[in-house]
């Protein structure tokens, strides 16, 4: 195959039809998409995808947690494969493009290479990751964490959903058997891994760029903070005698925002996304509050510096207000740099195709973050309208998706065509 390919090889109508069909496997009414891992709709979506993969002549297998592999064997299967893919699970009332563009777009990129007459020297393998979203088990990137060894089988077995079902029980009920110890990929399985994804921000759209060449992926630290005070009747307890858990929690919430802003870097972001108040009555002083904090940065030392300041603030608030504050770290993952080799190939493809592009940071984290532990990784971003994601009005244009597929196909071809 001689590069470059061209857009005429991308069947945009077919890809759009497949994206629309996939969106129908949902627990929410259109245009919203809700697809929680191991739900009936998730299993239906998996069956649909496996049918498409086999229809494209790919060899399909799945592992003990439901990660799906669709392989196009290369001429030298002894060499590490080139991987691509993303996820299709969706948080409640989300949209139809997050993750799915990376799965179905990867399938179309493989079909583009096949239409061109390309024959890979290295195998190309499409990977649909299980449970990138933390909706059911409270931890994101479950499948890629296990594949990369970032999550141990023992820790995975301890996970439970809100109904108290363990991961082992949930996956068995969904038909996924086998030992979790068998999920981790062997050393050298992938040489490179590429993920196509909507930006989930509005930088590309605002600058009129069609492709974002991701240079680094931010990583989250997530923690649960428990604030315990003393409840009582809202009219009977005088203000000097109060140990209100919610007012103490409010100080922490504001401190999280203030400390993230104080770094002076736009790459530091912090969110208190959930707050549970007990007993939850208008005429009762809150006795217990649970906060969930998400803190992200592309620089590990800066992120952990903010994290330590948040914990120091918790201690100071507890002492000053006479309340008890405890915390539990849910995860603290390291950010990663994308492979210069891959980013160079993506940028070269854009230049050949005359596609306007720019370097960009992924402030959301993705399965590629964990695959970077075992392979060189890169990500291709395409614009999403208004930067909207995780909402029913999430949208990426067919033209931008097609350009992303074309660049992905060229980059996969360059990597899989190398000895």
């Amino acid at each position: 195959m001689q590069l470059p390919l061209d857009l005429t090889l991308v069947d945009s109508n077919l890809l759009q039809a497949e994206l629309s069909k996939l969106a129908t496997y949902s627990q929410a009414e259109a245009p919203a998409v809700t697809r929680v891992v191991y739900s009936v709709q998730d299993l239906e979506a998996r069956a649909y995808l496996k049918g498409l993969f086999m229809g494209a002549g790919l060899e399909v297998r799945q592992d003990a947690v439901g990660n799906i592999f669709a392989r196009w064997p290369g001429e030298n299967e002894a060499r590490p494969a080139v991987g691509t893919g993303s996820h299709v699970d969706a948080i409640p009332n989300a949209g139809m493009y997050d993750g799915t563009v990376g799965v179905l777009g990867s399938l179309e990129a493989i079909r583009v290479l096949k239409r061109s007459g390309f024959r890979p020297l290295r195998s190309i393998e499409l990977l649909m990751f299980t449970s990138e979203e933390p909706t059911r088990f409270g931890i994101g990137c479950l499948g890629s964490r296990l594949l990369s060894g970032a999550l141990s089988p023992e820790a995975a077995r301890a996970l439970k959903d809100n109904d108290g079902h363990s991961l082992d029980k949930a996956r068995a009920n969904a038909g996924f058997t086998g030992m979790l110890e068998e999920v981790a990929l062997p050393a050298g399985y992938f040489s490179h891994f590429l993920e196509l994804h909507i930006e989930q921000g509005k930088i590309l759209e605002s600058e009129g760029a069609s492709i974002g060449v991701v240079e680094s992926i931010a990583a989250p630290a997530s923690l649960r903070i428990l604030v315990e005070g003393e409840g009582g009747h809202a009219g009977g307890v005088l203000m000097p005698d109060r140990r209100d858990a919610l007012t103490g929690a409010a100080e922490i919430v504001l401190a999280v925002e203030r400390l993230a802003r104080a770094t002076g870097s736009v790459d530091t972001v912090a969110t208190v996304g959930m707050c549970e108040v007990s007993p939850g009555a208008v005429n009762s002083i809150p006795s217990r509050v649970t906060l969930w904090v998400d803190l992200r940065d592309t620089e590990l030392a800066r992120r952990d510096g903010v994290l330590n300041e948040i914990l120091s603030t918790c201690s100071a608030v507890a002492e000053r207000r006479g309340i008890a504050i405890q915390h539990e770290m849910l995860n603290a993952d390291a950010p990663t740099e994308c492979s210069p080799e891959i980013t160079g190939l993506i940028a070269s493809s854009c230049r050949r195709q005359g596609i306007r592009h720019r370097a960009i940071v992924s402030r959301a984290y993705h399965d590629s973050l964990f695959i970077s532990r075992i392979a060189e990784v890169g990500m291709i971003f395409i614009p999403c309208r208004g930067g909207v994601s995780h909402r029913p009005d999430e949208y990426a244009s067919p033209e931008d998706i097609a350009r992303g597929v074309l660049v992905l196909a060229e980059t996969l071809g360059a990597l899989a065509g190398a000895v």
Side-chain angles (χ1 to χ4, degrees), residues 313-354:
T313 298
C314 289
S315 297
V317 170
E319 183 176 357
R320 186 173 64 254
R321 288 182 169 270
I323 57 179
I325 300 179
Q326 303 173 38
H327 75 274
E328 176 190 1
M329 292 300 305
L330 303 177
N331 63 277
D333 303 303
T336 196
E337 298 292 321
C338 291
S339 161
E341 178 188 7
I342 296 177
T343 58
L345 288 170
I346 295 168
S348 294
S349 174
C350 290
R351 286 191 293 270
R352 280 194 301 270
Q353 297 292 343

Side-chain angles (χ1 to χ4, degrees), residues 220-224 293-296 328-333 365:
S222 302
L223 66 154
R224 182 187 296 117
V293 181
D294 182 293
L295 171 62
R296 306 182 187 212
E328 176 190 1
M329 292 300 305
L330 303 177
N331 63 277
D333 303 303
Y365 73 105

Side-chain angles (χ1 to χ4, degrees), residues 220-231:
S222 302
L223 66 154
R224 182 187 296 117
I225 299 175
L226 175 63
V227 184
E228 293 185 289
E230 187 173 282

Side-chain angles (χ1 to χ4, degrees), residues 8-79:
T8 63
L9 291 167
V10 180
D11 192 337
S12 187
N13 290 332
L14 174 62
L15 179 52
Q16 290 299 313
E18 290 170 345
L19 285 166
S20 296
K21 177 65 175 178
L22 183 57
T24 66
Y25 301 109
S26 170
Q27 293 155 269
E29 292 187 10
V33 177
T34 300
R35 194 162 44 238
V36 178
V37 65
Y38 302 145
S39 65
V40 170
Q41 294 78 13
D42 178 52
L43 297 179
E44 290 173 342
R46 290 166 178 272
Y48 172 65
L49 289 169
K50 285 188 283 188
L52 294 180
F53 299 159
M54 289 185 286
L58 306 179
E59 300 175 356
V60 179
R61 70 178 179 89
Q62 60 190 22
D63 65 18
V65 291
N67 291 309
I68 299 175
F69 301 78
R71 192 176 186 91
W72 182 13
E75 294 179 11
N76 188 350
E77 286 208 73
R79 302 291 291 166

Side-chain angles (χ1 to χ4, degrees), residues 16 94-98 101 198-201 205 382-401:
Q16 290 299 313
M96 63 177 280
Y97 298 94
D98 175 21
V101 165
I198 60 172
E199 181 193 350
Q200 298 179 292
E205 182 184 59
I382 61 170
C384 53
R385 186 172 60 194
V388 168
S389 184
H390 283 192
R391 286 177 13 190
D393 54 337
E394 177 181 88
Y395 177 79
S397 74
E399 296 78 14
D400 282 327
I401 295 173

